[in-house]
Every structure is written in C-alpha cells, then in structure tokens.
Amino acid sequence: MKINENYLKLKESYLFSDISKKVGAFSEKNPDAKIIRLGIGDVTLPLVPAVTAALEAASREMGQKETFHGYGPEQGYGFLKDAIRDYYGEKGVELSSDEIFVSDGAKSDLGNILDIFSTDNTVLIPDPVYPVYVDTNTMAGRNIIYQNACEENGFLPMPDRSVKADIIYICSPNNPTGAVYDKAQLKEWVDYALDFGAIILFDSAYESFVREEALPTSIYQIESAKKCAIEFCSFSKTAGFTGTRCGYTVVPDELEFDGVKLGRLWLRRQTTKFNGVPYVIQRGAAAVFTPEGRSQIKANIDYYMENAKIVSETLDKVGIWHTGGKNSPYIWLKCPGGMKSWEYFDFLLAKAHVVGTPGEGFGVNGEGFFRLTAFNSRENVEEAVDRIIKASDMI
Amino acid sequence: MKINENYLKLKESYLFSDISKKVGAFSEKNPDAKIIRLGIGDVTLPLVPAVTAALEAASREMGQKETFHGYGPEQGYGFLKDAIRDYYGEKGVELSSDEIFVSDGAKSDLGNILDIFSTDNTVLIPDPVYPVYVDTNTMAGRNIIYQNACEENGFLPMPDRSVKADIIYICSPNNPTGAVYDKAQLKEWVDYALDFGAIILFDSAYESFVREEALPTSIYQIESAKKCAIEFCSFSKTAGFTGTRCGYTVVPDELEFDGVKLGRLWLRRQTTKFNGVPYVIQRGAAAVFTPEGRSQIKANIDYYMENAKIVSETLDKVGIWHTGGKNSPYIWLKCPGGMKSWEYFDFLLAKAHVVGTPGEGFGVNGEGFFRLTAFNSRENVEEAVDRIIKASDMI
C-alpha cells in the first residue's frame, strides 16, 4: 500500500505549541505574573440559555421512543435549514433550503469541498491566511499561488488579471487580519471569477461581527455571485459553538461547471462520507435563530466587539497601525519599533504579560505583524490594554 | 475550474427510494394493510437513560462559564478515549489512548481515511457490500477489484493469493449479510495483508452483536493485526447513536507504510479537516461505558438479538437458507422458490405486508438474496414472522 505522498509536503506548524512553550517558560520564571491571553481565536463566553435549553430538551426527546431520532438527512433537518434560509432572507439573499447544507463546522466543509474539484486546478490563496486553505490543497497535490496581502492594500488584495486561478479563497471579515472587503471590492472578485471560469470559496465565519451596514455579510449580496461562489459559515464564533460543532455551506442551484450542478456533487459527497450533524446539536443551532436566541447572542457579540473597540482605540492612541477590531473580533497590528513578529511577542510577554499571536505564523506577509483577539473578559482586556500602553513607552 | 470527474462515474443508488416508492404505491391501493418494515438498518429504541442524563448534564455545563468547553482536541477528549481503551482492554486488546481517534461516525471515517492513501492503490472489496466502500474509492479514481461472497463460502470470502490488493475492506459482522469471520479466517486475511504489504480496513460497527465468545470482535484479537489494520467502530448500533453521531477509529502506533506512521498522517488529516465531536455528544458516548450505561445498552442489544433469533428460527422452520441473525442484527436469506431479489420483495410486500431490502441493491452477488433486520418492536417482528410463514405456503 502506498501512502498519499502529498502529506509529506505539508509544513508542520508549531505556532501554537511554540507560543505555549514560551508562555510556560516565562510563567515558570515569573510565577507571580498574571498573564492575559489574547492569542487564540476561541470564544470565552458560554452557550446562551436559549441554546442550552434547546440542547437539554432535545436530549430528553432522544430518550423517548415517540420523539427519538435515528438517521437524519445528511444535509440537515428542515427546521434548521429553513431558519438559515430566513436569516439569509433578512440580508436580502434569497435561497431555497435545498441550497443549504448543514455540517459540523466550516473547517470540515472547507476541507471536504475540495473533494468535488479536480486536483488539476490552480488555487489562489491570500497570504497571510488561515492555514487550513493551504494544507487541504497541499494534501491533494494542487498547485497553489499566493497573493500578497499587506499594509499597502490594507490586507485586502484585489484580483490580478494577469494571473489565472481556478479556485479562489476569500475570507471576509478576515482571519487573521480582521480586514473586511466592501461590496465594490467583492464585485471585482466576482467579475474576475465569472470571466475566468473560476470558483470563489467564500469563508464568512465572522459575518456576525460586521457592524457597518454598508459592508457585505454574504457574497451573495453581490450580483451574480450565485454563479461563481460557495459560501461557508459557522455557529462557532456567532454563537460560541467552537466546542458544539455546527456550521453550514451554501451551494447555489445556479452554480454549474462543466454542465454539472455543484450542489449535486456536494450532496453526493455528503451522503457518501457524512451522516449529518447530531439531532440534539441541530436543535441547539436552530435556537440561535429564535427571538430570545438572537437577542442573547447579540449581547455576547456586542461584548466581544466592545473588547475589540477598546483594543483598537488603544492602538490608535499609541499610534500603532492596525486593521480589524471594527467589524471583526481580530485586531491585526504592525509591530511597533520595527520589531519582527516573534520579537514583539517576546516583548509583550516580558513587559506586559500579554500573549498574542505572531503574524509570521500565518504566512510570510505576516512577518512584522501581530494578532490580538477580543475573546476574553472585559476586565482582562482593559488590564491588557493598560499594560500595552505602559509597555509602549519602553520602545 | 474543473470538477472531479470521478464523481460522474458513480452509480446512482435508487435502492431505498425505489423501495419507498413501491411501498407507497402498495399502501395507496391497500390503505388497510398494516405494513411492517424490516428494511432499513436504523435502530428503533431510544437512547438509554444513562446517555440522555449525560447529554443533559453536559448541555448545562456548556451554559456556565466555569464548565464551558470551546475547541477540544480534534481526536477526542481523554475521558472518552480512555473509556474506549479500557473497553478494548477487556477484549484482550491493549491500546494506548493515542491510538484512538474519536469521530462523528464510522461512515465519515471510512470515507475520510482514504485521504491518506495514494490513489494508485488497488482496492479489494467483497460483493455484496455496504455501498460506501465502493463509492468513496470511485470518487478518488482508485482501481477496485471485487471478491465474490456467495452461498458456497457462506458470504465469507477468503484471500486469493493470485490477486494482489493494496487496500482490503472487511466488515465483520457483515452488513448486509450478518456473516461473521472466525479467528482462523481473520488470521488468513492478516497473513495475506502482511505478505502483500496491504492494509486492512476493518469495519467492526456491529461488534457488540457478537454472542459467541469464540468469535472475534476486533481484528486486533488476531496476532500481528496491529501491523496491517485500521479498525472502525461506532456507537450507532451499539448504543442507538444513528442520530447522535459518534464513532472511533483505531490506528495502531505500529502501523507503518513507506516508513511513515499512519497514525501521524491520520492525525494530520483530522486536525486539518475536522474539529472534533461536540463535547456534549462525547459526554453522552462516555456514559455508554459506565456500569449503568453498559447494562442499559446490553438490554437494548438483547432485545434486538431476540428479534433476530425469532426471525432466524422462523426461517429455519420454513427451510429458508440464511446467514446472520445469530451474531448480527441482520438476516440475509436466500429468496425461496428461486425468486430474484425484487420478486421476493414484491411477493413479501403483497402477501405478508412486510418490507425488507432486496440483496441485489448491495451488489451483483446479492441477486436472489434478501436482507431483514432486527430493528423493530417485538410485537411487529412476531407478527411479521407469522405472516412470512403463512406466505411461504403460497410459494
């Protein structure tokens, strides 16, 4: 038996383990230092009451013969798909429930969707980037070309028509940079994709953090995007589902390549290699869309966004260039004093006892940049920014 | 963008939709007929109280800051992996928890595992078979060779050393035939795999239905199997998790091909394209292994196996050849009177108002055979067998 040798080409990522080692060593030497972590992109607030009540009720249903659920539809129950469809309706995007595929999260779908595309395609990925886009394509042996996201373009690269790509990744609001494309910019991407016969894989996992009404929260708010884009979304950051696992993927009925509807291929992939999201979890996810669920998750998102605002305003005050923080829980800053990413990491840990993520870990263009997140308590965020201000005086 | 053209080679399966259409048409013409379904392989008993209590408790934990769980380890929480490890220990199979990967079910893992193997491998699949083995390899463009399972070999084909295969599927107890390999037979397969440098993908989803102590419930009960086999198991049939979604895959540390540990590749696949099973569900799965969970699921399995026994003994009584039913919830019978699969389906529906699954739907060697399952109430099973006996007189 021969292994898939593409796996041997994967770069090992030591980013978070390196961070954890450095923090561990520092803590050991400085046992009294109260370290504040603004590094990892995981939520800190618990599930809202509407969701836990739905989870509990569904758990009880599963214990009664009359309300027990065995195998469900692989693409999700109607009650959840309809709620998602209505949510899109409010954004001005009309979908049918058959275009919505419920899954265990955007990460799974972003990886698994590649199964329906030929390995011969050329993939266009921005740098810096969420590492999953690169790794999943490397595993399949696809040709990857990178596109520079940098200070000059505000970490929002635009299409280059001298480059031919077949599969294009766009994440907006972006992880790690927090930058958000406006509608005119996304329109340029849609036009490029239509002209070049390319497909856009649009990762909208952070859409619920968008505050400015003029900014798009779905690529389907752009004309003709249904002809060239698949959209991936998740309850992870919207409703604190990082450990609860539910997301959804939209494959429009209009989306056709080589005369084949991609929705049909994706349905076949999912019915063959997936058995649906647990009934209990789907009930929890549906509760996110009830009036009380919505007001409760809005309070959580508001809480994180107030944190982000505090960080962003502090950086403005001390004159540190950054993207994000306004329509995203991520703040992507240019390391002050010309420091490199890891230098600033060490500096912030030593002088402020604050942990962030070196931008270099997200790609070569991340060098000299640094990611902070809004996922912590108000108290910790306020203390962290106070310390960052004081540390800035030492540069 | 080019699609994966292998998808166009997939055979569309209309098996269960054809069944449903036929049953629908019959019901319409015979509105008073009480139809009993022994067709689909889905459980009918609800989750046991130990599991629902754990699901409810974990749901409440997720609503409190102190006990909330965000991202967990992709390969599963220690508390569940340790419980699975101990379960294997009782079977005389020593595993470390690091060799166990918790997933959302055997179907997902059986499909996704192929990612770590080259598409150049030749795959050996028995016929008749669970269609997922064939479809997932067709999607990747692998060469598939089939192996005849038939009445002569009791639907337990043995290795043919004139055939060279790289990836071998074994499902025991088998779906759809219910046949179970003994240790000596599995040993021959292990020897073949070791001699030919092949890997065995061992699907043990029905292991908890094995009643005869001498029969293996894990391939690792066979010497040296850890050097050539990956095992897939599931809580679906064991504990009624078909709609709750949890399973596990064992990749032994000793398993190495081309000098690469397969466990390392699988970990990389899972950390890249999967984000773990919901915390709540893992707590429910762990409850399966508590003393009360075990006695409760044993009662359910006993219930199904008594159903299977009733069907099997009835077939013996009327002289219908069959496999399964003794160590499996499936009964695979030879259609009486030389009928073809669909003929017998129509006959049974018309004369006994009983629905089963035509064997032909599982492969060419299934023609002339028929699958019944034990997943129904005692009352319905007893009534169904009474009707089958009466119908037999009409042949």
Side-chain angles (χ1 to χ4, degrees), chain B residues 148-312:
Chain B
N148 293 328
C150 52
E151 191 178 349
E152 289 65 42
N153 57 29
F155 287 90
L156 293 170
M158 297 304 297
D160 172 356
R161 284 179 175 257
S162 71
V163 170
K164 161 126 182 51
D166 304 306
I167 299 173
I168 299 161
Y169 283 86
I170 299 179
C171 178
S172 178
N174 190 271
N175 174 15
T177 72
V180 188
Y181 282 109
D182 66 25
K183 286 184 181 172
Q185 290 171 317
L186 279 190
K187 176 78 167 59
E188 274 192 55
W189 277 111
V190 167
D191 289 344
Y192 171 95
L194 291 171
D195 289 347
F196 284 76
I199 189 158
I200 294 172
L201 303 182
F202 190 78
D203 182 348
S204 68
Y206 296 91
E207 58 88 26
S208 61
F209 293 87
V210 171
R211 289 297 149 115
E212 290 170 55
E213 290 222 351
L215 291 174
T217 56
S218 163
I219 194 159
Y220 304 123
Q221 290 166 334
I222 311 304
E223 204 193 320
S224 302
K226 283 186 181 176
K227 291 188 170 64
C228 64
I230 294 178
E231 182 159 298
F232 303 85
C233 201
S234 167
F235 294 94
S236 284
K237 306 300 158 67
T238 301
F241 269 51
T242 50
T244 303
R245 312 305 318 142
C246 196
Y248 49 93
T249 291
V250 180
V251 187
D253 190 56
E254 296 173 42
L255 198 59
E256 245 185 74
F257 284 81
D258 300 339
V260 181
K261 282 189 194 291
L262 294 192
R264 189 165 76 80
L265 298 187
W266 181 237
L267 180 66
R268 189 63 198 253
R269 194 274 165 203
Q270 292 297 79
T271 52
T272 304
K273 300 194 193 180
F274 183 58
N275 240 327
V277 170
Y279 171 75
V280 168
I281 301 297
Q282 291 191 60
R283 280 289 176 200
V288 169
F289 296 104
T290 60
E292 49 168 353
R294 289 183 72 157
S295 91
Q296 291 165 359
I297 64 159
K298 186 179 174 303
N300 284 4
I301 294 171
D302 286 348
Y303 183 88
Y304 292 132
M305 289 311 289
E306 181 63 23
N307 286 350
K309 195 180 164 199
I310 290 168
V311 176
S312 178

Side-chain angles (χ1 to χ4, degrees), chain A residues 17-218:
Chain A
S17 71
D18 283 350
I19 290 174
S20 140
K21 271 180 215 155
K22 280 191 180 249
V23 174
F26 180 83
S27 284
E28 206 162 293
K29 275 192 204 152
N30 306 274
D32 295 334
K34 187 201 154 198
I35 292 171
I36 299 175
R37 291 165 200 271
L38 301 177
I40 293 177
D42 197 358
V43 295
T44 49
L45 294 171
L47 293 181
V48 299
V51 170
T52 55
L55 292 174
E56 283 187 66
S59 299
R60 284 190 296 271
E61 275 187 67
M62 291 295 282
Q64 301 299 323
K65 206 171 165 25
E66 301 69 30
T67 51
F68 172 72
H69 286 75
Y71 288 122
E74 285 92 345
Q75 62 272 37
Y77 279 102
F79 63 78
L80 178 53
K81 295 199 299 177
D82 292 351
I84 295 166
R85 178 201 60 200
D86 295 346
Y87 179 62
Y88 270 89
E90 292 170 29
K91 298 178 182 222
V93 174
E94 215 169 299
L95 294 177
S96 103
S97 293
D98 291 341
E99 297 173 301
I100 295 161
F101 297 77
V102 174
S103 76
D104 59 320
K107 183 178 168 190
S108 301
D109 279 9
L110 280 159
N112 294 333
I113 195 80
L114 296 173
D115 213 44
I116 68 170
F117 307 138
S118 165
T119 53
D120 275 344
N121 293 297
T122 292
V123 183
L124 181 66
I125 299 181
D127 175 308
V129 79
Y130 178 45
V132 163
Y133 307 157
V134 176
D135 290 350
T136 53
N137 281 291
T138 303
M139 286 170 171
R142 282 193 194 81
N143 178 36
I144 300 173
I145 49 182
Y146 294 92
Q147 193 184 30
N148 293 328
C150 53
E151 190 178 349
E152 289 65 41
N153 57 30
F155 287 91
L156 293 169
M158 296 305 297
D160 173 355
R161 285 181 174 255
S162 71
V163 169
K164 162 126 183 52
D166 304 305
I167 299 173
I168 299 160
Y169 284 86
I170 298 178
C171 177
S172 178
N174 190 271
N175 176 15
T177 72
V180 188
Y181 282 109
D182 66 25
K183 286 183 181 171
Q185 289 170 319
L186 279 190
K187 175 77 168 57
E188 274 192 54
W189 276 111
V190 168
D191 289 344
Y192 172 96
L194 291 171
D195 290 347
F196 285 77
I199 188 158
I200 294 173
L201 302 181
F202 189 79
D203 183 348
S204 67
Y206 296 91
E207 57 86 26
S208 60
F209 293 87
V210 171
R211 289 298 149 116
E212 290 170 54
E213 290 222 350
L215 291 174
T217 56
S218 163

Side-chain angles (χ1 to χ4, degrees), chain B residues 10-281:
Chain B
L10 290 164
K11 265 185 262 173
E12 291 291 338
S13 171
Y14 300 106
L15 180 62
F16 289 104
S17 70
D18 284 349
I19 290 174
S20 143
K21 272 180 216 155
K22 279 190 181 252
V23 175
F26 181 83
S27 284
E28 208 163 293
K29 276 193 207 153
N30 305 274
D32 295 335
K34 189 201 152 196
I35 292 171
I36 299 176
R37 291 163 200 272
L38 300 178
I40 293 176
D42 197 358
V43 295
T44 50
L45 294 170
L47 293 181
V48 299
V51 170
T52 55
L55 292 174
E56 284 188 66
S59 299
R60 285 190 294 271
E61 274 187 68
M62 291 295 281
Q64 301 299 322
K65 207 171 165 25
E66 301 69 30
T67 51
F68 173 72
H69 285 75
Y71 288 120
E74 285 91 345
Q75 60 274 36
Y77 279 102
F79 64 78
L80 178 53
K81 296 199 297 177
D82 291 351
I84 295 167
R85 177 200 61 202
D86 294 346
Y87 178 62
Y88 270 89
E90 292 170 28
K91 299 178 182 221
V93 175
E94 216 170 297
L95 294 177
S96 103
S97 293
D98 291 341
E99 296 173 301
I100 295 162
F101 297 78
V102 174
S103 77
D104 59 320
K107 183 178 167 190
S108 302
D109 279 9
L110 279 159
N112 294 333
I113 194 80
L114 295 173
D115 213 43
I116 68 170
F117 306 139
S118 166
T119 52
D120 276 343
N121 293 297
T122 293
V123 183
L124 182 65
I125 300 182
D127 176 309
V129 79
Y130 177 45
V132 163
Y133 308 157
V134 176
D135 290 349
T136 52
N137 280 292
T138 303
M139 286 170 172
R142 283 193 193 81
N143 178 36
I144 300 173
I145 49 182
Y146 294 92
Q147 192 183 30
N148 293 328
C150 52
E151 191 178 349
E152 289 65 42
N153 57 29
F155 287 90
L156 293 170
M158 297 304 297
D160 172 356
R161 284 179 175 257
S162 71
V163 170
K164 161 126 182 51
D166 304 306
I167 299 173
I168 299 161
Y169 283 86
I170 299 179
C171 178
S172 178
N174 190 271
N175 174 15
T177 72
V180 188
Y181 282 109
D182 66 25
K183 286 184 181 172
Q185 290 171 317
L186 279 190
K187 176 78 167 59
E188 274 192 55
W189 277 111
V190 167
D191 289 344
Y192 171 95
L194 291 171
D195 289 347
F196 284 76
I199 189 158
I200 294 172
L201 303 182
F202 190 78
D203 182 348
S204 68
Y206 296 91
E207 58 88 26
S208 61
F209 293 87
V210 171
R211 289 297 149 115
E212 290 170 55
E213 290 222 351
L215 291 174
T217 56
S218 163
I219 194 159
Y220 304 123
Q221 290 166 334
I222 311 304
E223 204 193 320
S224 302
K226 283 186 181 176
K227 291 188 170 64
C228 64
I230 294 178
E231 182 159 298
F232 303 85
C233 201
S234 167
F235 294 94
S236 284
K237 306 300 158 67
T238 301
F241 269 51
T242 50
T244 303
R245 312 305 318 142
C246 196
Y248 49 93
T249 291
V250 180
V251 187
D253 190 56
E254 296 173 42
L255 198 59
E256 245 185 74
F257 284 81
D258 300 339
V260 181
K261 282 189 194 291
L262 294 192
R264 189 165 76 80
L265 298 187
W266 181 237
L267 180 66
R268 189 63 198 253
R269 194 274 165 203
Q270 292 297 79
T271 52
T272 304
K273 300 194 193 180
F274 183 58
N275 240 327
V277 170
Y279 171 75
V280 168
I281 301 297

Side-chain angles (χ1 to χ4, degrees), chain A residues 8 12 34 53 55 117 144 186 195 198 234 268 274 301 354:
Chain A
L8 307 179
E12 291 290 339
K34 187 201 154 198
L55 292 174
F117 307 138
I144 300 173
L186 279 190
D195 290 347
S234 167
R268 189 64 199 250
F274 183 57
I301 294 171
V354 169

Side-chain angles (χ1 to χ4, degrees), chain A residues 34-39 307-308 310-315 318 320 331 333 344 347-349 351-356 370-392 394:
Chain A
K34 187 201 154 198
I35 292 171
I36 299 175
R37 291 165 200 271
L38 301 177
N307 286 350
I310 291 167
V311 176
S312 178
E313 286 178 354
T314 301
L315 296 177
V318 296
I320 294 180
I331 299 99
L333 62 93
Y344 189 61
F347 170 83
L348 222 50
L349 178 59
K351 306 298 179 194
H353 307 170
V354 169
V355 178
F370 200 77
R371 190 186 78 174
L372 294 173
T373 87
F375 298 122
N376 209 317
S377 68
R378 180 67 37 78
E379 193 193 357
N380 281 345
V381 168
E382 282 171 346
E383 195 174 330
V385 297
D386 279 349
R387 297 191 200 159
I388 290 172
I389 291 176
K390 285 193 191 107
S392 293
M394 301 182 221

